[in-house]
Amino acid sequence: KAGVTQTPRYLIKTRGQQVTLSCSPISGHRSVSWYQQTPGQGLQFLFEYFSETQRNKGNFPGRFSGRQFSNSRSEMNVSTLELGDSALYLCASSYQTGTGELFFGEGSRLTVL
Amino acid sequence: GQQVMQIPQYQHVQEGEDFTTYCNSSTTLSNIQWYKQRPGGHPVFLIQLVKSGEVKKQKRLTFQFGEAKKNSSLHITATQTTDVGTYFCAGRNYGGSQGNLIFGKGTKLSVKP
């Protein structure tokens, strides 16, 4: 069974640019959550999608957005990048929402210069 | 809002010594999960505890959920170099979606051979 796939794995952007990250969940999983991981703040919840609907959103500015497609694949977008957006962005999938373990992808490491 | 505090932030041990990390929530949890992230890797699910006072063991790892369902601990007996990594607890509120899974900031374990 293939795991959670995130692309791209590494990317470098400059301030003001935007970025789109992609996540393909484990087959059959309908819930996709996104987390931002930084050394100082740990794992911070961005948002969760279940069956193409955003179920919950963390305390991030509106520059952070996401969506989920009918095949459960998800994308997140960050517009007008700031230096502080440099982080590892992790996607996690689960079969259901609100219960069970999360299966994390390898992450997309974003560096903003 | 709900907070999940985890201590210590760092722990350095000699191989063969025991290790414990503690997790405390400001609210009563429906369940708590533990994850391990190896250096350069992504979080991997270890276990979920649901019942008050529950204790579960996985080889040298012992997980405990407090009677009030507001705290938890992970104890590793006779650490090995393969135990190196960051251990996260993640507490879930009653009801809701994955957004209610709040991660602690983790305990980074290093093991000196």
Side-chain angles (χ1 to χ4, degrees):
Chain A
K1 197 174 189 181
V4 177
T5 304
Q6 290 189 245
T7 57
R9 290 290 312 281
Y10 303 91
L11 64 167
I12 300 174
K13 295 285 186 179
T14 56
R15 280 180 298 175
Q17 287 187 311
Q18 73 166 13
V19 66
T20 298
L21 308 178
S22 178
C23 173
S24 293
I26 290 173
S27 178
H29 285 191
R30 294 187 294 163
S31 172
V32 174
S33 302
W34 288 89
Y35 291 84
Q36 182 194 64
Q37 186 174 33
T38 57
Q41 296 299 319
L43 281 158
Q44 291 191 286
F45 173 75
L46 281 158
F47 25 65
E48 184 212 0
Y49 289 87
F50 182 79
S51 294
E52 300 179 69
T53 302
Q54 187 179 87
R55 290 295 307 271
N56 212 328
K57 191 177 191 303
N59 295 324
F60 279 82
R63 300 184 296 107
F64 292 80
S65 63
R67 58 178 175 170
Q68 186 180 33
F69 302 95
S70 58
N71 61 358
S72 293
R73 189 177 71 85
S74 177
E75 289 181 348
M76 66 163 283
N77 183 276
V78 187
S79 62
T80 320
L81 285 166
E82 301 177 359
L83 295 179
D85 297 331
S86 294
L88 180 66
Y89 290 88
L90 290 162
C91 165
S93 78
S94 62
Y95 180 70
Q96 277 286 3
T97 181
T99 184
E101 66 184 277
L102 299 182
F103 293 84
F104 283 87
E106 298 284 349
S108 293
R109 183 164 296 281
L110 170 65
T111 301
V112 182
L113 302 176
Chain B
Q2 180 197 6
Q3 291 187 10
V4 173
M5 309 298 292
Q6 197 172 347
I7 57 169
Q9 190 174 358
Y10 301 96
Q11 186 76 56
H12 309 282
V13 300
Q14 192 77 32
E15 188 173 22
E17 292 181 338
D18 292 357
F19 159 77
T20 305
T21 173
Y22 300 91
C23 189
N24 288 284
S25 169
S26 56
T27 60
T28 303
L29 302 170
S30 66
N31 60 67
I32 196 159
Q33 298 178 355
W34 286 90
Y35 291 80
K36 176 184 178 181
Q37 185 174 21
R38 294 181 186 273
H42 58 279
V44 175
F45 176 81
L46 293 175
I47 208 160
Q48 175 172 282
L49 304 171
V50 179
K51 299 177 183 177
S52 169
E54 187 171 15
V55 178
K56 286 189 176 180
K57 293 191 176 184
Q58 289 179 351
K59 296 183 181 178
R60 295 179 295 105
L61 278 61
T62 302
F63 303 85
Q64 191 165 3
F65 201 9
E67 293 290 340
K69 300 184 74 172
K70 295 180 75 172
N71 59 76
S72 180
S73 64
L74 158 59
H75 179 82
I76 301 178
T77 303
T79 54
Q80 300 175 359
T81 55
T82 53
D83 296 325
V84 165
T86 301
Y87 293 84
F88 294 95
C89 63
R92 190 189 300 280
N93 281 332
Y94 283 93
S97 66
Q98 303 288 24
N100 289 330
L101 188 64
I102 306 299
F103 280 80
K105 292 192 175 182
T107 296
K108 187 173 183 179
L109 172 66
S110 62
V111 180
K112 187 176 182 181

